[in-house]
Amino acid sequence: MAESTFDRVVTILKDQEGLDDVELTRDTNLASVGLDSMATVEAVMACEDEFGIEIDPEANPKTVGEFVNLVDGLLAK
């Protein structure tokens, strides 16, 4: 079974900051788990590579759910 976009994004986010022990849900605030703006930019770049998409540099997802929705929206195009 293929991994969902959510699972793939969570894996990328966890890899960015070593968040292996943190449970990430759609409502998880990125800043609250230690993903500052630089780490978020790095996660955006990793998602661009993983999914073959180009994310608007002005996009600034605040939660895991916003991040997943952003990726899903670009994949649907």
Side-chain angles (χ1 to χ4, degrees):
M1 186 164 121
E3 272 189 298
S4 69
T5 303
F6 174 81
D7 291 335
R8 290 168 70 189
V9 169
V10 164
T11 297
I12 289 168
L13 291 171
K14 285 185 170 197
D15 288 347
Q16 289 307 120
E17 288 296 312
L19 300 173
D20 293 334
D21 296 335
V22 177
E23 181 182 346
L24 298 178
T25 68
R26 287 186 150 298
D27 295 327
T28 302
N29 182 291
L30 299 176
S32 72
V33 293
L35 288 166
D36 61 15
S37 59
M38 182 55 117
T40 301
V41 167
E42 290 171 356
V44 164
M45 292 185 327
C47 281
E48 288 177 330
D49 290 343
E50 170 75 16
F51 294 99
I53 56 176
E54 188 173 325
I55 298 173
D56 179 354
E58 298 298 316
N60 189 19
K62 302 283 188 221
T63 66
V64 173
E66 287 177 13
F67 211 128
V68 171
N69 291 342
L70 176 65
V71 171
D72 274 341
L74 292 168
L75 290 173
K77 289 185 179 180

